[in-house]
Amino acid sequence: MQLEKGLASKYTYITYVIAAYWIVSILTVFVNKALLSSDAVNLNAPLFVTWFQCIVSVAICITLRIISQWFPDCIEIANDSPFKKDTLRKVLPLSILFTAMIATNNLCLKYVGVAFYYVGRSLTTVFNVVFTYILLGQTTSFKCIACCAVIIVGFWLGVDQEHVAGSLSILGTLFGVLGSLSLSLYSIRMKQTLPIVNQDIWLLSYYNNVYSIIIFIPLMIISGEHTTVYNYEKLGHPLFWGAMTIGGVFGFAIGYFTALQIKVTSPLTHNVSGTAKACAQTVLATYWFNEKKSFLWWISNIVVLTASAFYARIRQLELNKEYRIETRQFKV
């Protein structure tokens, strides 16, 4: 009886974590869409919005670090400076990729609809396979390559249907592809950088956001966003800054719940959950924004979602097989 209660409590906790991940992830996309391209905000400064979200993330990290010093038994946050020469040299290349990733993701979301957002950024898996081979020299099975080919077909079908409907944004789609590319490179580089910070994901997140705050400044000046922000009529409105802060909190929260979901389940479950979440997000977006989509448009989404899920499952089976072989060799 005690064991059954323990299992029930564990599964209930996992269910709550997955539900929280879904809610936070979907709300983050909708909140960012409102900040980036809604008539209510009406601020054409996507880099500034992303920059401010990095500031909020750093403020949260510093706050958590102070709390951890007051209550070390409840929370433990590493205390280290991002401005050490050795840390800067080793982590900055990753932070440049992090900056490119979050900037292109928000730029993609600014120009495309929420419903198309997942398909617009669906080439991450394809780039993972390409760069894993080019940078790490690791080959991929035929089954995984076939899944990537299907994802590309689904992506092009989605782009074609957006064009047919007259809602295709070339710029938004380009930023989606660049977002997929930078995310792929970031994931590969992160595996090489984590040992430098003792596998501390939150410390790495703190470093990335601190460096991104600095990197974004010249980018905003070059793009002219500093002038746009200075002349923004709602710059002194508390509601505007409240919305910006909420966006920053959600941006930080999605990182936390992503890591938590992986921790209490597995990378495979996280991928499956993320794929299912993307499906729900697409359906919700078409309803919320009252968008009518063609049959082929829905087929493109189904193709991308299904191929992505199959890829995750095939890779998991392959990794399990490799692990069993290595274990047997070690025992021998």
Side-chain angles (χ1 to χ4, degrees), residues 187-209:
S187 300
I188 294 172
R189 182 73 186 188
M190 186 176 69
K191 294 177 182 178
Q192 301 169 336
T193 309
L194 271 174
I196 298 171
V197 295
N198 298 318
Q199 303 294 329
D200 191 331
I201 295 175
W202 294 118
L203 184 59
L204 186 59
S205 175
Y206 172 62
Y207 288 160
N208 280 335
N209 281 283

PDB file of all heavy atoms in Angstrom, residues 187-209:
ATOM      1  N   SER A 187      23.301  23.662 -29.293  1.00  0.00           N
ATOM      2  CA  SER A 187      23.171  22.391 -28.593  1.00  0.00           C
ATOM      3  C   SER A 187      24.483  21.608 -28.611  1.00  0.00           C
ATOM      4  O   SER A 187      24.889  21.018 -27.601  1.00  0.00           O
ATOM      5  CB  SER A 187      22.058  21.543 -29.233  1.00  0.00           C
ATOM      6  OG  SER A 187      20.823  22.220 -29.179  1.00  0.00           O
ATOM      7  N   ILE A 188      25.146  21.607 -29.773  1.00  0.00           N
ATOM      8  CA  ILE A 188      26.420  20.892 -29.900  1.00  0.00           C
ATOM      9  C   ILE A 188      27.496  21.552 -29.047  1.00  0.00           C
ATOM     10  O   ILE A 188      28.239  20.891 -28.320  1.00  0.00           O
ATOM     11  CB  ILE A 188      26.863  20.834 -31.375  1.00  0.00           C
ATOM     12  CG1 ILE A 188      25.882  19.969 -32.185  1.00  0.00           C
ATOM     13  CG2 ILE A 188      28.276  20.274 -31.503  1.00  0.00           C
ATOM     14  CD1 ILE A 188      26.125  20.002 -33.681  1.00  0.00           C
ATOM     15  N   ARG A 189      27.567  22.881 -29.114  1.00  0.00           N
ATOM     16  CA  ARG A 189      28.572  23.615 -28.347  1.00  0.00           C
ATOM     17  C   ARG A 189      28.315  23.517 -26.835  1.00  0.00           C
ATOM     18  O   ARG A 189      29.265  23.477 -26.035  1.00  0.00           O
ATOM     19  CB  ARG A 189      28.574  25.076 -28.782  1.00  0.00           C
ATOM     20  CG  ARG A 189      29.618  25.949 -28.097  1.00  0.00           C
ATOM     21  CD  ARG A 189      31.006  25.661 -28.605  1.00  0.00           C
ATOM     22  NE  ARG A 189      32.021  26.398 -27.842  1.00  0.00           N
ATOM     23  CZ  ARG A 189      33.299  26.452 -28.161  1.00  0.00           C
ATOM     24  NH1 ARG A 189      33.739  25.825 -29.237  1.00  0.00           N
ATOM     25  NH2 ARG A 189      34.159  27.125 -27.420  1.00  0.00           N
ATOM     26  N   MET A 190      27.054  23.466 -26.451  1.00  0.00           N
ATOM     27  CA  MET A 190      26.715  23.413 -25.028  1.00  0.00           C
ATOM     28  C   MET A 190      27.249  22.133 -24.380  1.00  0.00           C
ATOM     29  O   MET A 190      27.698  22.138 -23.241  1.00  0.00           O
ATOM     30  CB  MET A 190      25.199  23.505 -24.822  1.00  0.00           C
ATOM     31  CG  MET A 190      24.802  23.598 -23.349  1.00  0.00           C
ATOM     32  SD  MET A 190      23.030  23.834 -23.086  1.00  0.00           S
ATOM     33  CE  MET A 190      22.392  22.252 -23.625  1.00  0.00           C
ATOM     34  N   LYS A 191      27.197  21.005 -25.111  1.00  0.00           N
ATOM     35  CA  LYS A 191      27.728  19.745 -24.594  1.00  0.00           C
ATOM     36  C   LYS A 191      29.214  19.855 -24.298  1.00  0.00           C
ATOM     37  O   LYS A 191      29.722  19.214 -23.376  1.00  0.00           O
ATOM     38  CB  LYS A 191      27.470  18.615 -25.596  1.00  0.00           C
ATOM     39  CG  LYS A 191      25.993  18.279 -25.796  1.00  0.00           C
ATOM     40  CD  LYS A 191      25.818  17.196 -26.848  1.00  0.00           C
ATOM     41  CE  LYS A 191      24.349  16.899 -27.081  1.00  0.00           C
ATOM     42  NZ  LYS A 191      24.147  15.868 -28.148  1.00  0.00           N
ATOM     43  N   GLN A 192      29.914  20.679 -25.084  1.00  0.00           N
ATOM     44  CA  GLN A 192      31.344  20.866 -24.884  1.00  0.00           C
ATOM     45  C   GLN A 192      31.644  21.885 -23.781  1.00  0.00           C
ATOM     46  O   GLN A 192      32.722  21.858 -23.184  1.00  0.00           O
ATOM     47  CB  GLN A 192      31.991  21.330 -26.194  1.00  0.00           C
ATOM     48  CG  GLN A 192      31.800  20.364 -27.354  1.00  0.00           C
ATOM     49  CD  GLN A 192      32.207  20.966 -28.691  1.00  0.00           C
ATOM     50  OE1 GLN A 192      32.223  22.183 -28.859  1.00  0.00           O
ATOM     51  NE2 GLN A 192      32.528  20.112 -29.657  1.00  0.00           N
ATOM     52  N   THR A 193      30.677  22.777 -23.503  1.00  0.00           N
ATOM     53  CA  THR A 193      30.893  23.857 -22.533  1.00  0.00           C
ATOM     54  C   THR A 193      30.451  23.480 -21.119  1.00  0.00           C
ATOM     55  O   THR A 193      31.016  23.977 -20.143  1.00  0.00           O
ATOM     56  CB  THR A 193      30.151  25.132 -22.988  1.00  0.00           C
ATOM     57  OG1 THR A 193      30.494  25.433 -24.341  1.00  0.00           O
ATOM     58  CG2 THR A 193      30.506  26.328 -22.119  1.00  0.00           C
ATOM     59  N   LEU A 194      29.448  22.625 -20.987  1.00  0.00           N
ATOM     60  CA  LEU A 194      28.914  22.273 -19.660  1.00  0.00           C
ATOM     61  C   LEU A 194      29.982  21.773 -18.690  1.00  0.00           C
ATOM     62  O   LEU A 194      29.942  22.140 -17.506  1.00  0.00           O
ATOM     63  CB  LEU A 194      27.797  21.233 -19.813  1.00  0.00           C
ATOM     64  CG  LEU A 194      26.384  21.792 -20.007  1.00  0.00           C
ATOM     65  CD1 LEU A 194      25.400  20.673 -20.302  1.00  0.00           C
ATOM     66  CD2 LEU A 194      25.935  22.575 -18.772  1.00  0.00           C
ATOM     67  N   PRO A 195      30.947  20.934 -19.116  1.00  0.00           N
ATOM     68  CA  PRO A 195      31.982  20.497 -18.160  1.00  0.00           C
ATOM     69  C   PRO A 195      32.774  21.650 -17.561  1.00  0.00           C
ATOM     70  O   PRO A 195      33.279  21.545 -16.438  1.00  0.00           O
ATOM     71  CB  PRO A 195      32.883  19.595 -19.013  1.00  0.00           C
ATOM     72  CG  PRO A 195      31.994  19.089 -20.099  1.00  0.00           C
ATOM     73  CD  PRO A 195      31.075  20.233 -20.409  1.00  0.00           C
ATOM     74  N   ILE A 196      32.874  22.762 -18.287  1.00  0.00           N
ATOM     75  CA  ILE A 196      33.618  23.926 -17.795  1.00  0.00           C
ATOM     76  C   ILE A 196      32.943  24.528 -16.569  1.00  0.00           C
ATOM     77  O   ILE A 196      33.610  25.067 -15.672  1.00  0.00           O
ATOM     78  CB  ILE A 196      33.740  24.984 -18.916  1.00  0.00           C
ATOM     79  CG1 ILE A 196      34.527  24.396 -20.102  1.00  0.00           C
ATOM     80  CG2 ILE A 196      34.403  26.257 -18.413  1.00  0.00           C
ATOM     81  CD1 ILE A 196      34.510  25.285 -21.328  1.00  0.00           C
ATOM     82  N   VAL A 197      31.598  24.426 -16.505  1.00  0.00           N
ATOM     83  CA  VAL A 197      30.846  24.981 -15.366  1.00  0.00           C
ATOM     84  C   VAL A 197      30.324  23.854 -14.467  1.00  0.00           C
ATOM     85  O   VAL A 197      29.309  24.022 -13.779  1.00  0.00           O
ATOM     86  CB  VAL A 197      29.671  25.863 -15.863  1.00  0.00           C
ATOM     87  CG1 VAL A 197      30.185  27.085 -16.588  1.00  0.00           C
ATOM     88  CG2 VAL A 197      28.725  25.078 -16.778  1.00  0.00           C
ATOM     89  N   ASN A 198      31.029  22.718 -14.481  1.00  0.00           N
ATOM     90  CA  ASN A 198      30.673  21.576 -13.629  1.00  0.00           C
ATOM     91  C   ASN A 198      29.240  21.086 -13.854  1.00  0.00           C
ATOM     92  O   ASN A 198      28.526  20.769 -12.885  1.00  0.00           O
ATOM     93  CB  ASN A 198      30.885  21.919 -12.148  1.00  0.00           C
ATOM     94  CG  ASN A 198      32.334  22.234 -11.835  1.00  0.00           C
ATOM     95  OD1 ASN A 198      33.234  21.562 -12.318  1.00  0.00           O
ATOM     96  ND2 ASN A 198      32.560  23.279 -11.038  1.00  0.00           N
ATOM     97  N   GLN A 199      28.813  21.085 -15.119  1.00  0.00           N
ATOM     98  CA  GLN A 199      27.485  20.609 -15.521  1.00  0.00           C
ATOM     99  C   GLN A 199      26.345  21.424 -14.886  1.00  0.00           C
ATOM    100  O   GLN A 199      25.218  20.951 -14.797  1.00  0.00           O
ATOM    101  CB  GLN A 199      27.318  19.124 -15.144  1.00  0.00           C
ATOM    102  CG  GLN A 199      28.368  18.206 -15.728  1.00  0.00           C
ATOM    103  CD  GLN A 199      28.301  18.109 -17.244  1.00  0.00           C
ATOM    104  OE1 GLN A 199      27.237  18.229 -17.835  1.00  0.00           O
ATOM    105  NE2 GLN A 199      29.455  17.877 -17.868  1.00  0.00           N
ATOM    106  N   ASP A 200      26.649  22.631 -14.456  1.00  0.00           N
ATOM    107  CA  ASP A 200      25.642  23.488 -13.810  1.00  0.00           C
ATOM    108  C   ASP A 200      24.884  24.275 -14.886  1.00  0.00           C
ATOM    109  O   ASP A 200      25.373  25.290 -15.401  1.00  0.00           O
ATOM    110  CB  ASP A 200      26.318  24.440 -12.826  1.00  0.00           C
ATOM    111  CG  ASP A 200      25.321  25.161 -11.926  1.00  0.00           C
ATOM    112  OD1 ASP A 200      24.172  25.375 -12.371  1.00  0.00           O
ATOM    113  OD2 ASP A 200      25.676  25.503 -10.792  1.00  0.00           O
ATOM    114  N   ILE A 201      23.677  23.824 -15.205  1.00  0.00           N
ATOM    115  CA  ILE A 201      22.880  24.442 -16.268  1.00  0.00           C
ATOM    116  C   ILE A 201      22.506  25.878 -15.921  1.00  0.00           C
ATOM    117  O   ILE A 201      22.532  26.770 -16.774  1.00  0.00           O
ATOM    118  CB  ILE A 201      21.613  23.613 -16.543  1.00  0.00           C
ATOM    119  CG1 ILE A 201      22.001  22.232 -17.096  1.00  0.00           C
ATOM    120  CG2 ILE A 201      20.699  24.314 -17.542  1.00  0.00           C
ATOM    121  CD1 ILE A 201      20.825  21.306 -17.286  1.00  0.00           C
ATOM    122  N   TRP A 202      22.165  26.117 -14.640  1.00  0.00           N
ATOM    123  CA  TRP A 202      21.721  27.452 -14.242  1.00  0.00           C
ATOM    124  C   TRP A 202      22.871  28.449 -14.253  1.00  0.00           C
ATOM    125  O   TRP A 202      22.691  29.615 -14.612  1.00  0.00           O
ATOM    126  CB  TRP A 202      21.067  27.390 -12.863  1.00  0.00           C
ATOM    127  CG  TRP A 202      19.808  26.601 -12.911  1.00  0.00           C
ATOM    128  CD1 TRP A 202      19.530  25.450 -12.245  1.00  0.00           C
ATOM    129  CD2 TRP A 202      18.655  26.880 -13.717  1.00  0.00           C
ATOM    130  NE1 TRP A 202      18.270  24.994 -12.586  1.00  0.00           N
ATOM    131  CE2 TRP A 202      17.710  25.848 -13.473  1.00  0.00           C
ATOM    132  CE3 TRP A 202      18.315  27.880 -14.623  1.00  0.00           C
ATOM    133  CZ2 TRP A 202      16.472  25.800 -14.098  1.00  0.00           C
ATOM    134  CZ3 TRP A 202      17.076  27.840 -15.241  1.00  0.00           C
ATOM    135  CH2 TRP A 202      16.179  26.810 -14.969  1.00  0.00           C
ATOM    136  N   LEU A 203      24.067  28.017 -13.861  1.00  0.00           N
ATOM    137  CA  LEU A 203      25.223  28.909 -13.917  1.00  0.00           C
ATOM    138  C   LEU A 203      25.541  29.268 -15.366  1.00  0.00           C
ATOM    139  O   LEU A 203      25.839  30.422 -15.685  1.00  0.00           O
ATOM    140  CB  LEU A 203      26.435  28.237 -13.268  1.00  0.00           C
ATOM    141  CG  LEU A 203      27.711  29.083 -13.170  1.00  0.00           C
ATOM    142  CD1 LEU A 203      27.461  30.347 -12.356  1.00  0.00           C
ATOM    143  CD2 LEU A 203      28.854  28.273 -12.571  1.00  0.00           C
ATOM    144  N   LEU A 204      25.423  28.287 -16.253  1.00  0.00           N
ATOM    145  CA  LEU A 204      25.654  28.536 -17.673  1.00  0.00           C
ATOM    146  C   LEU A 204      24.601  29.496 -18.227  1.00  0.00           C
ATOM    147  O   LEU A 204      24.913  30.386 -19.027  1.00  0.00           O
ATOM    148  CB  LEU A 204      25.626  27.221 -18.448  1.00  0.00           C
ATOM    149  CG  LEU A 204      25.991  27.300 -19.936  1.00  0.00           C
ATOM    150  CD1 LEU A 204      27.397  27.854 -20.118  1.00  0.00           C
ATOM    151  CD2 LEU A 204      25.856  25.936 -20.588  1.00  0.00           C
ATOM    152  N   SER A 205      23.363  29.323 -17.800  1.00  0.00           N
ATOM    153  CA  SER A 205      22.284  30.218 -18.219  1.00  0.00           C
ATOM    154  C   SER A 205      22.564  31.654 -17.745  1.00  0.00           C
ATOM    155  O   SER A 205      22.338  32.621 -18.492  1.00  0.00           O
ATOM    156  CB  SER A 205      20.947  29.735 -17.661  1.00  0.00           C
ATOM    157  OG  SER A 205      19.909  30.649 -17.958  1.00  0.00           O
ATOM    158  N   TYR A 206      23.073  31.772 -16.535  1.00  0.00           N
ATOM    159  CA  TYR A 206      23.421  33.093 -15.993  1.00  0.00           C
ATOM    160  C   TYR A 206      24.512  33.753 -16.834  1.00  0.00           C
ATOM    161  O   TYR A 206      24.397  34.924 -17.235  1.00  0.00           O
ATOM    162  CB  TYR A 206      23.881  32.931 -14.544  1.00  0.00           C
ATOM    163  CG  TYR A 206      24.447  34.181 -13.912  1.00  0.00           C
ATOM    164  CD1 TYR A 206      23.674  35.327 -13.740  1.00  0.00           C
ATOM    165  CD2 TYR A 206      25.772  34.216 -13.481  1.00  0.00           C
ATOM    166  CE1 TYR A 206      24.194  36.474 -13.158  1.00  0.00           C
ATOM    167  CE2 TYR A 206      26.301  35.353 -12.894  1.00  0.00           C
ATOM    168  CZ  TYR A 206      25.513  36.478 -12.735  1.00  0.00           C
ATOM    169  OH  TYR A 206      26.034  37.612 -12.158  1.00  0.00           O
ATOM    170  N   TYR A 207      25.567  32.997 -17.143  1.00  0.00           N
ATOM    171  CA  TYR A 207      26.650  33.516 -17.984  1.00  0.00           C
ATOM    172  C   TYR A 207      26.124  33.942 -19.354  1.00  0.00           C
ATOM    173  O   TYR A 207      26.446  35.033 -19.852  1.00  0.00           O
ATOM    174  CB  TYR A 207      27.729  32.449 -18.181  1.00  0.00           C
ATOM    175  CG  TYR A 207      28.575  32.155 -16.973  1.00  0.00           C
ATOM    176  CD1 TYR A 207      29.281  30.964 -16.869  1.00  0.00           C
ATOM    177  CD2 TYR A 207      28.680  33.060 -15.926  1.00  0.00           C
ATOM    178  CE1 TYR A 207      30.074  30.680 -15.761  1.00  0.00           C
ATOM    179  CE2 TYR A 207      29.458  32.785 -14.811  1.00  0.00           C
ATOM    180  CZ  TYR A 207      30.152  31.601 -14.737  1.00  0.00           C
ATOM    181  OH  TYR A 207      30.934  31.318 -13.647  1.00  0.00           O
ATOM    182  N   ASN A 208      25.315  33.077 -19.972  1.00  0.00           N
ATOM    183  CA  ASN A 208      24.793  33.366 -21.317  1.00  0.00           C
ATOM    184  C   ASN A 208      24.003  34.672 -21.345  1.00  0.00           C
ATOM    185  O   ASN A 208      24.156  35.488 -22.256  1.00  0.00           O
ATOM    186  CB  ASN A 208      23.906  32.220 -21.799  1.00  0.00           C
ATOM    187  CG  ASN A 208      24.705  31.050 -22.339  1.00  0.00           C
ATOM    188  OD1 ASN A 208      25.838  31.213 -22.789  1.00  0.00           O
ATOM    189  ND2 ASN A 208      24.127  29.865 -22.306  1.00  0.00           N
ATOM    190  N   ASN A 209      23.153  34.849 -20.349  1.00  0.00           N
ATOM    191  CA  ASN A 209      22.305  36.049 -20.320  1.00  0.00           C
ATOM    192  C   ASN A 209      23.114  37.308 -20.025  1.00  0.00           C
ATOM    193  O   ASN A 209      22.832  38.372 -20.593  1.00  0.00           O
ATOM    194  CB  ASN A 209      21.188  35.877 -19.286  1.00  0.00           C
ATOM    195  CG  ASN A 209      20.035  35.024 -19.803  1.00  0.00           C
ATOM    196  OD1 ASN A 209      19.217  35.483 -20.580  1.00  0.00           O
ATOM    197  ND2 ASN A 209      19.986  33.778 -19.375  1.00  0.00           N
TER     198      ASN A 209
END
